[in-house]
Amino acid sequence: MSQSPVLVEDGPDKGAVWHCGEVAKEQRALADGKAWADLSHRTVVAVSGEERLAYLHAVTTQHVENLQPGVWKDGLILDAQGHIAHQFILVEDGTTTFLQVDSERAQPLISYLTKMKFMMKVDVRDASSEFVILRAPGNTDDIGGPYALVPVSEKKETIDAFNQANLQVGMWALEAERVASGRARIGLETDRK
């Protein structure tokens, strides 16, 4: 008999699955590359337009001007004093760049990106009603993935496919793995400085 998932009650992952009842089993599955997680509590921001990659290259810490479709990267935006203002993970699909961001930080990021586009041919919008992010099965990469950008209409089908040979894990396992790997998260291992 499987236990109902326990949800995160507060913080940046509020509403996400905290664990599914067997934390040690979830952590082993994650370490073995046989786990997936629902990250649809995070916001997906879409940056489209013909100058999107040059624009993102100019305002972020990452070299993304020649980002190839399907390649996931982490990114930061720094303030004038060099402090981290925004943190996200992004992927290009050939026509749009999608940024995965903690939901509580999404609106400030969207406002900043909109304000900074000046005359560039880019459009910035919240695309969470169209796409969700899943942590896909596979060995953990340098940014905590592999990730999958999934149309909302295909979420159930994708989860069913993941469940055939993999275990759903919660944020407890993902966060333990992130901390053990030394990947800092804004607001948790960082402060205003």
Side-chain angles (χ1 to χ4, degrees):
M1 180 174 164
S2 64
Q3 181 179 337
S4 296
V6 175
L7 302 182
V8 178
E9 295 181 4
D10 199 17
D13 296 315
K14 184 177 180 178
V17 171
W18 181 230
H19 64 82
C20 298
E22 298 183 72
V23 177
K25 184 177 178 181
E26 292 176 40
Q27 289 179 320
R28 282 192 303 275
L30 186 61
D32 293 341
K34 303 293 284 178
W36 71 273
D38 186 346
L39 302 178
S40 59
H41 65 286
R42 295 189 177 158
T43 298
V44 177
V45 176
V47 181
S48 57
E50 61 187 76
E51 296 179 318
R52 71 190 174 283
L53 291 176
Y55 165 71
L56 288 169
H57 179 81
V59 298
T60 71
T61 59
Q62 280 287 13
H63 182 85
V64 295
E65 201 164 26
N66 298 309
L67 185 63
Q68 296 300 304
V71 175
W72 291 80
K73 285 188 164 257
D74 58 350
L76 301 172
I77 295 175
L78 306 179
D79 67 16
Q81 290 74 40
H83 301 147
I84 299 170
H86 302 284
Q87 179 184 38
F88 46 83
I89 296 172
L90 57 86
V91 67
E92 167 71 13
D93 77 352
T95 61
T96 303
T97 306
F98 296 93
L99 287 65
Q100 165 193 323
V101 63
D102 288 339
S103 290
E104 64 187 18
R105 298 180 178 280
Q107 197 51 54
L109 175 62
I110 292 169
S111 296
Y112 176 84
L113 291 173
T114 300
K115 180 174 66 175
M116 296 305 291
K117 68 182 186 177
F118 302 110
M119 300 296 289
M120 296 193 81
K121 296 176 184 171
V122 295
D123 180 57
V124 180
R125 64 186 170 77
D126 184 333
S128 300
S129 63
E130 304 162 59
F131 295 95
V132 295
I133 302 291
L134 301 177
R135 196 322 189 147
N139 292 324
T140 303
D141 61 25
D142 291 343
I143 60 171
Y147 296 104
L149 176 71
V150 180
V152 169
S153 61
E154 296 174 17
K155 179 182 174 185
K156 182 184 181 321
E157 176 183 318
T158 304
I159 288 174
D160 289 345
F162 286 173
N163 274 331
Q164 288 183 8
N166 303 282
L167 183 70
Q168 180 179 5
V169 301
M171 295 306 298
W172 189 340
L174 291 178
E175 284 295 281
E177 186 278 328
R178 179 187 65 75
V179 170
S181 297
R183 293 189 316 274
R185 186 171 175 189
I186 191 170
L188 298 179
E189 288 83 27
T190 66
D191 61 19
R192 62 182 184 80
K193 295 181 181 180

